[in-house]
């Protein structure tokens, strides 16, 4: 337990750095681009992520599980195979995006359209490159190299993005969304290079177990993809029904609200391979205890963040971003309150995925996504940002409540086995 706490503390420091860099990036982007261009950037990134990532969103979970379950002497082989598997999948997806985007861009050039397709094409490359970096980090964490496994995504990418944006802020007087997207792509590429240096994966040859990994990836990616879609539903709905400026303001609220779950994301990253190992060993008491402590710590931290938002959020947003963004306060409080109220569930989705119960997580994801889409369609046209926040908050409550009840059932059945 002492070693686990030390690793959580080390990863927490990296998470704090990434959180500060991420907040700085969001504030700098909003101030530099303005509400309208920031709204275009947020909408393009959300659409690009929804088009590309749902197919491969389960790759980091699969990578952690396969590497952590391999015998220590076989981990280099598992890493080489997983790396080859990831490269081929992402290359095929990137080729498809490039062909469709290139054809659309050529058509736009022929008909004299604007550069929206170019923005979407560059935006699609950012999550693909980011996913490659995430898988490299996941394989490092599968070896229980927790700190190196978080360096590419928690240090190199967010800090690099912030530094590039800072340089552009000082030199580019009339920025557009495409400038920010190119800076994001540069930071994601740097994270991949660092991840490759730390992992040094070997050659997989032709020994990639395509069939079983694709069979596992399908439910994992469906679950993770639905979580991704669920998180972007509000932004996309606002992009269709409201003005670009309102999308940008809501994006600020959604980004800040995620900080209430900051501690739980740290615990999830460190605990995931340990959940798998303890369950495989039949140590259900350790599984329950770790999840219970994660939930209690997450609620305490989230409540503190919510109090800070409630007391000083209006002043801080107004000072940092200007009066155009103060309207983010109400959706921010709704979303943050929903996170804090449901954090008691702990690491339910990660735990269930690590013990081979991803189909339960899939059912929960379908239920939550359906709830979110229906509520957003009903509420966003009339209520705007507040409607998006309410729909997302209720879908989050549905997600965590369902998973919590299912986890109790699954562990109870496992305990009853001889």
């Amino acid at each position: 337990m002492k070693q686990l706490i030390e690793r959580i503390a080390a990863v927490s420091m990296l998470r704090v750095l990434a959180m500060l860099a991420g907040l700085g990036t969001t504030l700098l982007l909003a101030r530099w681009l303005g509400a309208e261009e920031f709204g275009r950037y947020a909408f393009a990134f959300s659409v690009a992520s929804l088009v590309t990532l749902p197919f491969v969103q389960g790759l980091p979970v699969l990578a952690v599980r396969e590497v952590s379950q391999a015998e220590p002497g076989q981990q280099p082989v598992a890493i080489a195979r997983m790396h080859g598997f990831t490269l081929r999948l992402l290359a095929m997806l990137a080729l498809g995006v490039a062909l469709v985007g290139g054809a659309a861009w050529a058509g736009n050039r022929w008909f004299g359209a604007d550069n929206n397709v170019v923005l979407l094409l560059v935006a699609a490359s950012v999550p693909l490159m980011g996913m490659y970096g995430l898988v490299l980090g996941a394989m490092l964490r599968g070896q229980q190299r927790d700190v190196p496994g978080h360096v590419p995504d928690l240090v190199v990418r967010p800090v690099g993005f912030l530094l590039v944006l800072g340089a552009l802020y000082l030199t580019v007087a009339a920025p557009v969304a495409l400038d920010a997207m190119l800076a994001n792509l540069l930071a994601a590429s740097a994270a991949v290079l660092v991840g490759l240096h730390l992992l040094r994966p070997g050659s997989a040859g032709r020994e990639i177990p395509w069939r079983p990994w694709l069979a596992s990836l399908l439910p994992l990616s469906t679950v993770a993809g639905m979580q991704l879609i669920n998180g972007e539903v509000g932004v996309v709905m606002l992009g269709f029904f409201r003005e670009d400026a309102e999308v940008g303001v809501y994006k600020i609220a959604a980004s800040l609200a995620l900080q209430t779950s900051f501690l739980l994301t740290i615990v999830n990253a460190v605990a995931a391979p340990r959940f798998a190992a303890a369950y495989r060993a039949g140590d259900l008491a350790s599984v329950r205890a770790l999840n219970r402590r994660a939930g209690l710590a997450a609620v305490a931290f989230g409540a503190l963040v919510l109090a800070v938002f409630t007391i000083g959020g209006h002043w801080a947003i107004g000072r940092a971003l200007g009066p155009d963004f103060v309207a983010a306060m109400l959706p921010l409080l709704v979303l943050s309150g929903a996170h804090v109220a449901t954090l008691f569930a702990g690491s339910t989705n990660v735990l269930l995925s690590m013990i081979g119960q991803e189909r339960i997580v899939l059912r929960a994801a379908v239920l939550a996504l359906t709830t979110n889409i229906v509520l957003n369609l009903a509420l966003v046209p009339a209520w705007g940002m507040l409607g998006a926040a309410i729909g997302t908050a209720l879908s989050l409550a549905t997600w965590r409540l369902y998973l919590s009840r299912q986890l109790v059932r699954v562990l109870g059945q496992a305990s009853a086995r001889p």
Side-chain angles (χ1 to χ4, degrees):
M1 182 57 68
K2 180 181 177 182
Q3 185 183 41
L4 178 61
I5 293 174
E6 290 174 350
R7 293 191 179 190
I8 289 176
V11 175
S12 297
M13 295 176 64
L14 298 184
R15 282 278 177 186
V16 169
L17 176 62
M19 180 187 70
L20 294 175
L23 287 175
T25 296
T26 301
L27 297 177
L28 186 57
L29 270 173
R31 196 174 187 89
W32 183 49
L33 294 176
E36 184 173 350
E37 280 298 313
F38 182 65
R40 287 188 69 221
Y41 171 87
F43 181 70
F45 192 83
S46 295
V47 171
S49 298
L50 295 182
V51 169
T52 57
L53 290 186
F55 300 101
V56 292
Q57 188 75 355
L59 273 172
V61 178
L62 181 64
V64 169
R65 191 169 75 184
E66 293 299 321
V67 174
S68 63
Q69 288 184 348
E71 296 295 330
Q74 291 299 310
Q75 283 188 342
V77 176
I79 288 171
R81 291 175 178 173
M82 180 56 64
H83 182 249
F85 179 72
T86 300
L87 271 182
R88 287 162 174 78
L89 276 183
L90 294 182
M92 288 188 287
L93 187 53
L95 178 61
V97 169
L99 289 175
V100 174
W105 178 81
N108 272 7
R109 293 284 293 176
W110 180 265
F111 292 109
D114 59 25
N115 69 344
N116 280 335
V117 173
V118 178
L119 174 62
L120 286 170
L121 186 58
V122 176
S125 64
V126 176
L128 287 175
M129 188 65 71
M131 178 56 63
Y132 185 22
L134 283 173
V135 174
L136 294 173
M139 289 189 283
L140 287 164
R141 296 196 303 275
Q143 295 178 299
Q144 298 197 15
R145 297 168 63 188
D146 298 299
V147 174
H150 285 91
V151 166
D153 197 55
L154 295 185
V155 179
V156 179
R157 183 173 179 179
V159 174
F161 191 20
L162 180 60
L163 292 176
V164 174
L165 280 180
L168 292 175
Y169 182 80
L170 297 174
T171 56
V172 179
V176 294
L178 184 60
D179 298 327
M181 203 66 74
L182 289 170
N184 200 345
L185 178 60
L186 180 62
S189 302
V192 165
L193 292 176
V194 171
L196 287 171
H197 174 73
L198 292 172
L199 186 65
R200 299 181 183 275
S203 175
R206 298 183 178 180
E207 299 179 355
I208 298 175
W210 283 95
R211 184 168 295 180
W213 280 0
L214 286 174
S216 295
L217 182 63
L218 180 60
L220 289 173
S221 282
T222 303
V223 168
M226 285 187 175
Q227 289 179 261
L228 171 70
I229 295 170
N230 207 26
E232 300 293 343
V233 163
V235 173
V236 174
M237 290 291 183
L238 284 168
F240 281 120
F241 291 112
R242 312 290 282 204
E243 299 296 326
D244 286 343
E246 193 168 352
V247 179
V249 174
Y250 180 79
K251 183 65 176 178
I252 291 293
S255 299
L256 290 174
L258 288 175
Q259 306 313 314
T260 54
S261 300
F262 169 75
L263 186 62
L264 186 62
T265 60
I266 297 171
V267 175
N268 286 346
V270 176
R274 291 163 179 81
F275 281 137
Y279 186 81
R280 188 175 64 249
D283 188 3
L284 300 182
S286 294
V287 172
R288 288 191 179 95
L290 180 55
N291 189 55
R292 183 170 58 251
R293 290 168 185 159
L296 292 174
V299 169
F301 181 86
L304 177 61
V305 175
L306 177 58
V308 171
F309 287 158
T310 304
I311 295 169
H314 189 282
W315 175 84
I317 292 175
R319 293 281 293 179
L321 300 177
D324 290 344
F325 288 92
V326 172
M329 268 306 300
L330 186 54
L332 169 60
L333 293 179
V334 171
L335 292 170
S336 299
H339 277 287
V340 174
T342 58
L343 283 171
F344 72 90
S347 305
T348 46
N349 60 314
V350 173
L351 199 166
L352 286 165
S353 296
M354 286 294 105
I355 63 176
Q357 298 293 332
E358 55 266 19
R359 294 191 181 277
I360 292 176
V361 186
L362 175 57
R363 290 196 294 272
V366 172
L367 180 61
L369 179 58
T370 303
T371 302
N372 202 3
I373 291 175
V374 170
L375 289 174
N376 269 267
L377 282 172
L379 299 175
V380 166
W383 290 14
M385 292 184 293
L386 179 59
I390 292 172
T392 301
L394 291 176
S395 73
L396 179 64
T398 302
W399 160 262
R400 284 183 171 154
L401 180 60
Y402 180 85
L403 285 178
S404 182
R405 295 182 64 179
Q406 292 299 313
L407 179 62
V408 171
R409 181 183 64 82
V410 169
L411 293 182
Q413 291 176 345
S415 299
R417 296 192 196 111

